[in-house]
Amino acid sequence: MAVEDFAAIGSFSVVHQFCRVGRYAYIGACTVITQDVPPFSRVVTERETRSYGVNSIGLERKGFSKERLQSLARAFRLLSRSKMNTTQAIAEMRANLSGSDDVQELIRFIESAERGIVK
């Protein structure tokens, strides 16, 4: 397991030994993680583990600007709420959001995930 900088893992959460947790990710309490958690995301379990988008509160507290948050929000919408598969979403991110270092980090993380990612 690898937990990157500024990630927060809630109490009683279980993370599989070969999963990665990206920078600034937030995992809610009692969440079971069996796939990589993308950087900047917020992941919680209700019945099924899924991502609820950008960890906006945590990123604001760390000083992220509105522009950075907006770029990440657009990237996460493409990834999880569009009708595109992951490959198509990444291509769209590259085409329209390539100016954001945060989005580039997100793309690199997704492409290097060996276990898939929580979406």
Side-chain angles (χ1 to χ4, degrees):
M1 177 173 73
V3 179
E4 296 180 359
D5 292 341
F6 307 108
I9 300 175
S11 61
F12 306 111
S13 293
V14 179
V15 181
H16 188 276
Q17 64 182 349
F18 296 118
C19 289
R20 296 179 304 151
V21 178
R23 285 186 339 130
Y24 297 101
Y26 173 83
I27 298 173
C30 302
T31 299
V32 176
I33 300 297
T34 59
Q35 293 180 305
D36 290 352
V37 177
F40 314 110
S41 67
R42 179 180 56 198
V43 177
V44 297
T45 296
E46 287 179 351
R47 293 180 183 241
E48 176 182 335
T49 301
R50 64 176 283 226
S51 175
Y52 287 87
V54 178
N55 178 16
S56 55
I57 294 171
L59 296 176
E60 283 177 15
R61 288 178 181 165
K62 293 292 185 182
F64 277 57
S65 68
K66 287 192 183 282
E67 294 79 23
R68 288 177 78 181
L69 292 173
Q70 288 171 347
S71 293
L72 286 166
R74 291 200 322 255
F76 274 93
R77 274 194 300 276
L78 288 170
L79 187 62
S80 61
R81 291 186 177 87
S82 71
K83 294 186 180 188
M84 298 179 205
N85 64 33
T86 303
T87 304
Q88 293 167 330
I90 288 173
E92 189 70 21
M93 284 182 225
R94 279 200 171 104
N96 296 314
L97 301 170
S98 62
S100 168
D101 291 339
D102 298 324
V103 173
Q104 292 300 321
E105 179 179 343
L106 178 63
I107 291 170
R108 283 190 302 274
F109 186 94
I110 293 168
E111 290 179 331
S112 67
E114 294 179 11
R115 298 182 55 83
I117 61 166
V118 176
K119 288 182 24 176

